[in-house]
Amino acid sequence: MAISESFRKMPLAAKLCCWLAGLQAMTVIGLEVSILVIVLKYVENVFSSWSSDKGVAIYFMLLVIASLYGVFLVVGGVLNGDTIQIIGFCVFNLFTMSLAIFRYFQVRTWLNDEVVIGDLVYNMIQREMLASIVVMAGITAVFGVLTYFVFHSFGWEIYKRVGADMKIRRMYINYRLLVLLLKMDFFVFVGFAVSYIILILKSSDPEFGITIALVPLTLMVLSLAFWGLRRESVWAMWTVVVLLCASSAYFVFKCARMYDPKQEAKYATQKPMMTYYTVVSLVVVAGTLHQCATCLANFGYGLKDRIEITRGKRSDMEQIQDYYVNAAGDRRMNLDG
């Protein structure tokens, strides 16, 4: 009830962001289901073996989950008055669109290799694949415009949370940026692990168990990062930094392995997409490491206390209306209404 009341009082631009994210998710999921139904109708071995001929199913899974995850990012950003997370959705949407573009070209290669009627199937699903790309590109462009208005609407909310002290505001922005990157890490890491397990590995490969373990390990590391960031725990954040460095080494190893002549057959049909996914993972990890270091340097300078002052029962914009925090960290009543 509180969430619906808060949503009702949101600025129009924030409401449009939520509706557009939901519209994109429904449209993309509908198109992806249509593609999968056509492929399943004409291709018999999509789920019959454990390697690259599951490519269509993996792309379907990634794009559907990414669409839903995008809604999670937008709604969370709007309810928390977090412009950074809404901007993050635009970046995330570009990444999702790039996966759809890879799918558009790679599925044709796979169908021609595996299916006698590959060209026929490709022609049947070509419009739906292009439509997914166009929808995501259009929504991202509209979001770029809406973000400008959302930024101005939420700017006052940030002021009421952390006050007018520019140093505290910069620390708060770095705090929110790290939270966003940790959310991105989860999708990228788990998506990479699942894709690698299904598209590349076989159950007899030595890497099989290690890659499966990456999923729960990722969840534990990111949970520790969220906890350490909120509590300003130095030991927890340094542990996360060390583990992120280890994950960087892991992705570099995977990328090098893809271009090992001895492994060429294993990666033959999936090398472009998996290389791209690995590079994106490395970029996200590098950004997360940078923000971890930045937030570590900000520990002990008052941000934790300032956030705790304004946390309490207020988890949405309506509750933030009651008071603001001045530069000295004291509560002051809001005189707007």
Side-chain angles (χ1 to χ4, degrees):
M1 188 70 178
I3 293 178
S4 61
E5 183 68 16
S6 301
F7 184 79
R8 188 179 64 82
K9 295 185 177 182
M10 290 287 176
L12 177 60
K15 292 179 182 178
L16 286 175
C17 285
C18 293
W19 288 117
L20 283 174
L23 177 63
Q24 175 184 279
M26 290 187 292
T27 304
V28 171
I29 290 173
L31 290 168
E32 294 303 315
V33 169
S34 175
I35 291 170
L36 188 63
V37 167
I38 293 172
V39 172
L40 289 175
K41 182 178 179 180
Y42 292 96
V43 183
E44 298 179 355
N45 65 337
V46 174
F47 295 107
S48 63
S49 63
W50 188 262
S51 61
S52 61
D53 54 355
K54 286 189 175 180
V56 173
I58 284 296
Y59 280 116
F60 169 81
M61 179 194 70
L62 287 175
L63 292 174
V64 167
I65 294 176
S67 298
L68 296 174
Y69 203 72
V71 175
F72 162 74
L73 290 176
V74 172
V75 173
V78 166
L79 291 178
N80 289 300
D82 187 356
T83 311
I84 291 175
Q85 191 158 308
I86 297 174
I87 296 172
F89 168 79
C90 296
V91 178
F92 181 77
N93 223 33
L94 289 174
F95 167 66
T96 306
M97 184 176 67
S98 67
L99 292 179
I101 293 172
F102 267 99
R103 190 268 304 276
Y104 179 79
F105 293 102
Q106 199 161 353
V107 165
R108 182 169 194 170
T109 302
W110 171 75
L111 288 172
N112 287 336
D113 289 343
E114 302 286 343
V115 186
V116 176
I117 56 172
D119 287 334
L120 174 62
V121 175
Y122 180 81
N123 290 333
M124 294 175 68
I125 64 176
Q126 185 177 19
R127 286 179 300 178
E128 285 81 357
M129 291 191 294
L130 284 173
S132 290
I133 297 170
V134 171
V135 167
M136 286 183 273
I139 293 294
T140 303
V142 174
F143 255 85
V145 177
L146 287 176
T147 300
Y148 171 82
F149 296 100
V150 171
F151 175 79
H152 286 280
S153 298
F154 288 166
W156 176 236
E157 305 304 329
I158 295 175
Y159 174 79
K160 285 186 280 187
R161 286 187 182 186
V162 296
D165 188 329
M166 291 305 298
K167 183 178 179 181
I168 294 292
R169 294 185 74 179
R170 283 193 294 268
M171 289 192 294
Y172 182 72
I173 289 172
N174 283 314
Y175 171 92
R176 297 307 311 178
L177 184 55
L178 180 55
V179 169
L180 171 65
L181 284 169
L182 291 172
K183 292 176 181 178
M184 298 284 195
D185 285 334
F186 178 75
F187 180 87
V188 171
F189 287 7
V190 174
F192 175 86
V194 173
S195 300
Y196 199 82
I197 289 169
I198 296 179
L199 294 178
I200 307 299
L201 298 179
K202 297 181 180 179
S203 57
S204 58
D205 289 331
E207 301 174 51
F208 185 79
I210 298 174
T211 308
I212 288 180
L214 181 64
V215 177
L217 180 62
T218 296
L219 184 59
M220 289 188 291
V221 171
L222 297 181
S223 298
L224 178 64
F226 279 116
W227 181 86
L229 180 62
R230 177 170 291 185
R231 300 294 183 89
E232 292 195 354
S233 172
V234 175
W235 72 264
M237 293 304 293
W238 274 113
T239 301
V240 171
V241 167
V242 171
L243 292 173
L244 286 175
C245 289
S247 69
S248 298
Y250 171 82
F251 286 120
V252 170
F253 165 75
K254 289 294 187 184
C255 194
R257 194 169 176 81
M258 290 178 198
Y259 292 89
D260 183 351
K262 297 179 182 179
Q263 303 289 326
E264 185 175 358
K266 183 185 293 186
Y267 297 96
T269 59
Q270 304 297 339
K271 186 183 293 184
M273 185 266 193
M274 293 307 299
T275 300
Y276 173 70
Y277 213 125
T278 304
V279 171
V280 169
S281 301
L282 282 169
V283 170
V284 174
V285 170
T288 307
L289 278 169
H290 177 268
Q291 284 306 116
C292 282
T294 302
C295 290
L296 265 169
N298 292 335
F299 284 2
Y301 286 95
L303 180 61
K304 176 186 174 184
D305 296 334
R306 191 68 62 87
I307 292 175
E308 287 180 348
I309 287 174
T310 59
R311 183 167 285 148
K313 294 181 179 180
R314 288 181 314 70
S315 59
D316 53 59
M317 289 180 63
E318 178 192 5
Q319 295 166 322
I320 293 173
Q321 304 295 332
D322 297 334
Y323 61 85
Y324 69 93
V325 181
N326 67 12
D330 300 322
R331 296 189 188 199
R332 291 291 182 266
M333 293 303 296
N334 180 18
L335 302 179
D336 288 346

